[in-house]
């Protein structure tokens, strides 16, 4: 007979169960009384440290109308520039046609987590998401905007996770209603990163970051993909200095280095060791007066496709064995944003520009004079945007209206990737937006 058959199971209910429970409790008390004099008392109960969770976000709805076809992801909610003039069979511009769109995909929700200190520093974390999607077929899909934790000490702080690219300075950003926040004239990207901020003095911060790519990707032979930076072996490196001589002034300068490997195998199935090294530099300035705020940024960029900016790179030579070299396209971009600081009505104005200076070395052109380039808007010689706007606040609800007038001059690339024989087109976007903040 099994040993378990000798065990009498405890009663499950009734008077017998009540008697059994009383005996069990008294037995435990006697055991604790015997163990306590021997120094084996149970440790005092300590509640686990509490982590405070603070949700935030908004529901947003924005209808908009464009006077012609435009370039931009997620049903063109994120506007880059107007489509170029493309004649049809009768010589008419097939892109000279308006379009109306209405989207709630910018609705956003986030959670901030604050807990006990760790490693002698304040520890906190943040997760933020929206319904913008990761790729165009995923429009209205849930995506990760921010996901990081930070250790914040007196003179330093380190951040692990995904957040704005350091080129996007939150204290010096465009306040547009358009979801692009000034792109492609300024940076817009969330990137995985390890960011260290050192408070050198009370007025000077130095930022160093190592980054990679996830949603916002560089371009190349197989389209936008994280493969190029991963095969480049080293992360993207960023160095930035921010100076605040007064609480109402910010001056910043930054430089960034990135290495991509466009291909591992050529068209003859031979392994290749090809790479392109690029540099981006940035200057920012912000000033707040009692009734008005000013923000401005200027960027010299080489291959900033992952930042949602104009530019990329071109194939500069092709050998008979299909070994290739590459040259970055050089752009200078900038913007200025002015906004009042009223609590109820805030008019504002954004002006952006970008100029293509081509490559420093000749590029490859095929027998038809066509270049091989990767990036965004490489055939644009210059682009300009003017966007007046107005906000109306009555918390938790706000409404806004904006007119976004964008011009881009398209041309044919010459031997130095400068667009020639350009033709300019203009689009006007009329945008309305409504928010419920929580």
């Amino acid at each position: 007979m099994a040993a378990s058959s000798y065990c009498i199971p405890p009663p499950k209910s009734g008077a017998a169960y009540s008697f059994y429970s009383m005996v069990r409790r008294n037995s435990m008390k006697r055991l604790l009384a015997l163990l306590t004099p021997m120094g084996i008392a149970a440790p005092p109960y300590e509640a686990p440290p509490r982590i405070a969770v603070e949700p935030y976000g908004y529901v947003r709805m924005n209808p908009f109308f464009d006077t012609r076809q435009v370039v931009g992801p997620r049903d063109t909610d994120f506007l880059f520039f107007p489509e170029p003039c493309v004649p049809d069979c009768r010589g008419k511009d097939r892109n000279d046609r308006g379009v109306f769109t209405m989207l709630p995909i910018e609705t956003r929700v986030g959670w901030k987590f604050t807990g006990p200190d760790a490693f002698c520093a304040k520890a906190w974390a943040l997760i933020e998401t929206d319904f913008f999607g990761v790729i165009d077929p995923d429009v209205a899909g849930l995506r990760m905007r921010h996901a990081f934790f930070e250790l914040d000490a007196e003179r330093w702080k380190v951040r692990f996770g995904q957040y704005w690219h350091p080129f996007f300075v939150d204290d010096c950003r465009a306040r547009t209603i358009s979801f692009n926040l000034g792109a492609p004239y300024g940076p817009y990207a969330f990137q995985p990163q390890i960011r260290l901020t050192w408070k050198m003095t009370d007025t000077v911060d130095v930022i160093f970051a190592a980054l990679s790519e996830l949603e916002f990707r560089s371009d190349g032979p197989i389209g936008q993909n994280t493969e190029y930076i991963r095969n480049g072996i080293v992360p993207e490196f960023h160095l930035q200095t921010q100076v605040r001589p007064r609480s109402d002034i910010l001056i910043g300068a930054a430089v960034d280095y990135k290495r991509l490997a466009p291909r591992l195998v050529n068209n003859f199935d031979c392994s290749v060791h090809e790479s392109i090294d690029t540099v981006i530099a940035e200057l920012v300035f912000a000033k707040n007066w009692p009734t008005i705020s000013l923000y401005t940024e200027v960027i010299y960029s080489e291959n900033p496709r992952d930042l949602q900016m104009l530019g990329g790179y071109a194939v500069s030579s092709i050998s008979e064995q299909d070994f290739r070299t590459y040259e970055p396209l050089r752009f200078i971009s900038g913007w200025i944003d002015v906004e009042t600081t009223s609590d109820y009505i805030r008019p504002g104005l954004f002006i952006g520009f970008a100029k293509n200076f081509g490559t420093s070395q000749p590029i490859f052109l095929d027998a038809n004079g066509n270049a091989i380039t990767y990036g965004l808007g490489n055939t644009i010689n210059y682009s300009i945007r003017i966007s007046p706007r107005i906000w109306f606040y009555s918390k938790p609800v706000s409404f806004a209206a904006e007119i976004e007038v964008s011009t881009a001059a398209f041309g044919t690339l010459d031997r130095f990737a400068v667009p020639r024989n350009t033709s300019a087109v203009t689009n006007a976007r009329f945008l309305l937006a409504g928010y419920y903040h929580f």
Side-chain angles (χ1 to χ4, degrees):
M1 183 180 293
S4 60
S5 63
Y6 292 101
C7 298
I8 301 175
K12 296 183 178 180
S13 62
Y17 175 76
S18 300
F19 177 77
Y20 169 80
S21 300
M22 180 184 68
V23 171
R24 188 177 181 183
R25 288 196 301 270
N26 290 337
S27 299
M28 183 60 68
K29 291 179 180 177
R30 292 192 187 96
L31 178 60
L32 291 176
L34 289 172
L35 293 178
T36 300
M38 300 171 60
I40 319 179
Y45 173 77
E46 293 184 5
R50 297 182 62 85
I51 295 180
V53 181
E54 179 184 352
Y56 66 91
Y58 57 74
V59 177
R60 168 171 168 160
M61 181 64 175
N62 58 304
F64 54 90
F65 171 77
D66 292 294
T67 57
R68 71 177 285 116
Q69 300 293 298
V70 296
V71 176
R74 311 305 186 277
D75 293 345
T76 70
D77 182 71
F78 195 106
L79 175 63
F80 285 138
F81 45 79
E83 287 276 12
C85 178
V86 179
D88 62 9
C89 61
R90 294 174 294 177
K92 294 184 178 180
D93 182 6
R94 66 180 64 182
N95 290 320
D96 187 17
R97 183 166 181 170
V99 57
F100 174 78
T101 311
M102 185 180 294
L103 295 169
I105 61 176
E106 298 170 28
T107 295
R108 181 183 308 173
V109 62
W111 300 267
K112 182 178 180 181
F113 305 87
T114 306
D117 292 354
F119 297 99
C120 302
K122 295 179 180 179
W124 65 284
L126 185 140
I127 296 175
E128 184 176 292
T129 185
D130 62 20
F131 298 89
F132 196 69
V134 178
I135 57 177
D136 283 342
D138 188 36
V139 63
L142 198 65
R143 71 160 176 175
M144 176 176 62
R145 286 173 56 89
H146 306 315
F148 66 86
F149 73 90
E150 182 175 280
L151 299 176
D152 189 349
E154 183 178 355
R155 284 291 178 182
W156 59 267
K157 57 184 177 182
V158 60
R159 179 172 293 179
F160 295 83
Q162 177 162 293
Y163 188 62
W164 287 111
H165 192 288
F167 274 136
F168 186 96
V169 181
D170 199 41
D171 292 333
C172 184
R173 63 175 180 85
R175 267 60 180 175
T176 63
I177 301 166
S178 179
F179 197 57
N180 56 40
L181 297 180
Y185 310 97
Y188 186 110
F190 318 119
Q191 302 291 30
Q193 59 192 271
I194 300 175
R195 182 192 299 201
L196 175 65
T197 302
W198 172 39
K199 193 172 184 60
M200 180 183 295
T201 68
D202 292 339
T203 59
V204 179
D205 290 345
V206 177
I207 300 171
F208 174 79
L211 307 98
S212 189
E213 298 175 2
L214 188 58
E215 176 188 348
F216 298 89
R217 307 162 185 174
S218 296
D219 196 14
I222 60 173
Q224 287 185 265
N225 202 294
T226 62
E227 177 180 308
Y228 314 120
I229 192 168
R230 291 188 290 113
N231 289 336
I233 300 176
V234 297
E236 177 182 349
F237 292 111
H238 182 94
L239 180 63
Q240 183 175 154
T241 301
Q242 295 182 2
V243 181
R244 290 177 171 83
R246 299 201 312 255
S247 61
D248 59 344
I249 295 178
L250 168 65
I251 303 170
V255 63
D256 191 282
Y257 165 79
K258 180 172 57 183
R259 183 172 189 252
L260 302 181
R263 302 189 304 171
L264 298 182
V265 178
N266 66 13
N267 293 333
F268 294 103
D269 200 29
C270 294
S271 297
V272 296
H273 296 275
E274 301 171 350
S275 64
I276 177 170
D277 302 292
T278 55
V279 174
I280 302 177
E282 172 194 58
L283 293 174
V284 299
F285 175 79
K287 176 71 171 73
N288 296 311
W289 288 276
T291 59
I292 196 170
S293 297
L294 181 146
Y295 313 95
T296 186
E297 177 181 38
V298 176
I299 295 183
Y300 166 81
S301 60
E302 297 176 352
N303 188 28
R305 180 62 182 94
D306 59 308
L307 299 177
Q308 308 300 296
M309 297 181 64
L310 299 179
Y313 59 99
V315 175
S316 56
S317 67
I318 302 178
S319 70
E320 293 183 358
Q321 295 77 29
D322 192 33
F323 294 103
R324 303 184 179 190
T325 59
Y326 305 88
E327 278 290 321
L329 277 70
R330 302 166 299 166
F331 271 77
I332 291 181
S333 307
W335 55 267
I336 183 170
D337 189 281
V338 180
E339 184 176 69
T340 63
T341 57
S342 169
D343 292 334
Y344 304 105
I345 301 177
R346 291 186 186 177
L349 176 66
F350 171 88
I351 300 175
F353 73 91
K355 180 69 175 72
N356 186 350
F357 291 90
T359 59
S360 60
Q361 299 296 325
I363 65 171
F364 171 82
L365 297 177
D366 63 17
N368 297 319
N370 297 319
I372 303 175
T373 66
Y374 309 104
L376 176 66
N378 291 335
T379 59
I380 294 177
N381 186 292
Y382 68 87
S383 182
I384 300 172
R385 177 179 296 164
I386 300 176
S387 302
R389 66 182 182 272
I390 187 167
W391 290 85
F392 300 93
Y393 292 92
S394 180
K395 293 183 178 179
V397 175
S398 61
F399 293 98
E402 182 176 66
I403 302 175
E404 198 172 15
V405 182
S406 304
T407 298
F410 295 87
T412 303
L413 299 185
D414 65 11
R415 288 283 293 173
F416 286 86
V418 176
R420 303 294 184 186
N421 303 317
T422 60
S423 175
V425 292
T426 299
N427 173 71
R429 169 169 288 188
F430 299 88
L431 171 66
L432 297 176
Y435 301 78
Y436 181 91
H437 303 265
F438 58 89

